[in-house]
């Protein structure tokens, strides 16, 4: 990891995501409470917090994998409502990487990477394959293109998941605990891939407990507890000078 990463490149000041007074319930359970969050283009945010605090729900709302009931979410100028056109537009601009890779097991690595570009973006197959090979090379596994997910290690599968998301040319990448299902020796290869993306200026929201990554890469760390943003700060301040008791308790448990 380079110490330079969170200094460069600069954020543009343009808004990538605007979330205002977001509230969500699962049945009667109030899972997200008055979330306000503005993300600038090029900004990298790490979301931390105890299990069950609503981190996954929050980022899943950003590409409408979950529906919110109150407040607004605007992604790259498009508000998420019941309008399916808006949902499609936002999904085509937002890539997501999950804890459990979610690759299609019956498709090759190359087919996993070309499926959405061909069927959603309507890119010709040959061109989609070229783009896929470009990103598989970027995540350093071009030689695995014709294998199936089950033949790859967890770290390799997660790098395929990142490449697959990049093939859709997203403006924003969401990561939900991308390394927490991996063996320790594979965590670094996935984090290194994410650091490279960060260095290229990708707007990123990452739910992760990898605090080394947060310190090296994040412009801002957001701490959630019980459906609320309890505290947010630069990584330096967040780790060295936590304000709330809940943050202090959390840090004492993970560091
Ligand atoms: P985190 O990612 O921080 O662990 P989640 O967003 O997954 O938290 O979950 C927040 C809370 O909402 C938890 O109490 C969880 O049990 C609950 N929850 C998550 N998904 C659902 C669902 N589909 N239906 C009902 N409750 C859910
Ligand atoms: Mg989660």
């Amino acid at each position: 990891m380079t110490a330079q990463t969170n200094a460069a490149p600069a954020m543009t000041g343009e808004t990538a995501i605007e979330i205002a007074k977001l509230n969500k319930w699962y049945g009667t359970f109030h899972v997200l409470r008055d979330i306000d969050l503005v993300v600038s283009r090029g900004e990298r945010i790490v979301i931390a917090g105890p299990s069950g605090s609503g981190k996954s729900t929050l980022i899943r709302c950003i590409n409408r994998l979950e529906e919110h009931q109150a407040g607004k979410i605007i992604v790259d100028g498009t508000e998420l409502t019941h309008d399916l056109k808006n949902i499609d537009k936002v999904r085509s601009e937002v890539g997501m990487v999950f804890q459990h890779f979610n690759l299609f097991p019956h498709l090759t690595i190359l087919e996993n990477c070309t499926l959405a570009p061909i069927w959603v973006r309507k890119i010709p197959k040959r061109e989609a394959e070229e783009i896929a090979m470009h990103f598989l090379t970027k995540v350093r596994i071009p030689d695995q293109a014709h294998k199936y997910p089950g033949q790859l290690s967890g770290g390799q599968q997660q790098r395929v998941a990142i490449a697959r998301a990049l093939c859709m040319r997203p403006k924003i990448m969401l990561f939900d605990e991308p390394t927490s299902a991996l063996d320790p020796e594979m965590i670094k290869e996935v984090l290194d891939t994410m650091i490279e993306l960060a260095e290229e200026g990708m707007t990123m929201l990452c739910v992760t407990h990898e605090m080394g990554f947060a310190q090296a890469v994040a412009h801002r760390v957001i701490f959630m507890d019980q459906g609320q943003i309890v505290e947010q700060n630069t990584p330096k301040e967040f780790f060295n000078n936590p304000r709330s008791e809940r943050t202090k308790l959390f840090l004492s448990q993970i560091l």
Side-chain angles (χ1 to χ4, degrees):
M1 276 182 213
T2 63
Q4 301 302 317
T5 306
N6 50 7
M11 288 180 270
T12 60
E14 289 167 36
T15 300
I17 302 171
E18 184 184 346
I19 296 174
K21 290 272 165 285
L22 171 65
N23 281 275
K24 174 171 177 61
W25 289 260
Y26 288 120
T28 56
F29 176 61
H30 198 173
V31 60
L32 295 178
R33 298 161 178 262
D34 287 337
I35 303 280
D36 291 314
L37 177 63
V38 176
V39 182
S40 300
R41 215 177 282 290
E43 192 175 13
R44 301 185 288 273
I45 292 180
V46 160
I47 304 173
S51 177
S53 56
K55 306 178 300 294
S56 295
T57 304
L58 173 61
I59 64 165
R60 289 168 65 86
C61 282
I62 295 171
N63 64 353
R64 197 71 168 187
L65 292 177
E66 297 287 353
E67 239 179 65
H68 59 285
Q69 285 88 32
K72 62 180 175 182
I73 303 176
I74 302 171
V75 181
D76 198 36
T78 302
E79 181 167 1
L80 280 169
T81 61
H82 290 289
D83 188 336
L84 293 177
K85 268 209 309 283
N86 285 5
I87 295 173
D88 282 348
K89 179 162 186 295
V90 166
R91 285 198 183 143
S92 75
E93 292 180 359
V94 177
M96 177 134 182
V97 174
F98 303 87
Q99 181 176 355
H100 294 290
F101 327 141
N102 297 11
L103 299 175
F104 299 110
H106 58 293
L107 298 181
T108 66
I109 299 312
L110 189 65
E111 288 164 346
N112 264 278
C113 292
T114 57
L115 188 72
I118 291 171
W119 293 100
V120 179
R121 281 252 195 264
K122 311 289 181 204
I123 292 174
K125 184 166 181 247
R126 173 83 48 93
E127 194 184 327
E129 287 178 349
E130 275 172 23
I131 294 169
M133 288 311 298
H134 168 79
F135 285 111
L136 288 171
T137 303
K138 202 169 144 61
V139 302
R140 302 200 181 87
I141 35 176
D143 47 328
Q144 309 292 324
H146 298 288
K147 292 190 181 166
Y148 287 86
Q151 296 171 287
L152 270 57
S153 72
Q156 289 175 323
Q157 288 189 56
Q158 194 59 300
R159 284 183 286 150
V160 172
I162 295 171
R164 178 176 67 172
L166 294 176
C167 285
M168 290 293 279
R169 306 289 177 139
K171 293 184 178 169
I172 297 165
M173 286 284 286
L174 309 175
F175 294 86
D176 193 358
E177 301 204 32
T179 59
S180 51
L182 298 176
D183 292 334
E185 71 271 20
M186 290 171 191
I187 291 176
K188 185 175 180 297
E189 66 190 46
V190 171
L191 292 179
D192 284 348
T193 302
M194 293 168 65
I195 289 168
E196 278 174 33
L197 260 185
E199 285 168 343
E200 289 167 11
M202 178 65 82
T203 307
M204 296 166 74
L205 273 81
C206 311
V207 176
T208 181
H209 290 156
E210 292 292 334
M211 293 299 135
F213 173 82
Q215 273 166 317
V217 167
H219 295 109
R220 186 158 42 133
V221 179
I222 285 179
F223 177 71
M224 288 183 69
D225 195 17
Q226 298 182 7
Q228 289 177 307
I229 295 178
V230 173
E231 181 163 347
Q232 50 181 313
N233 221 324
T234 59
K236 194 161 171 252
E237 279 297 301
F238 181 81
F239 291 108
N240 297 332
N241 190 17
R243 308 264 156 91
S244 81
E245 290 308 315
R246 283 191 276 180
T247 310
K248 287 178 195 165
L249 176 65
F250 175 75
L251 290 175
S252 74
Q253 286 163 344
I254 62 156
L255 293 179

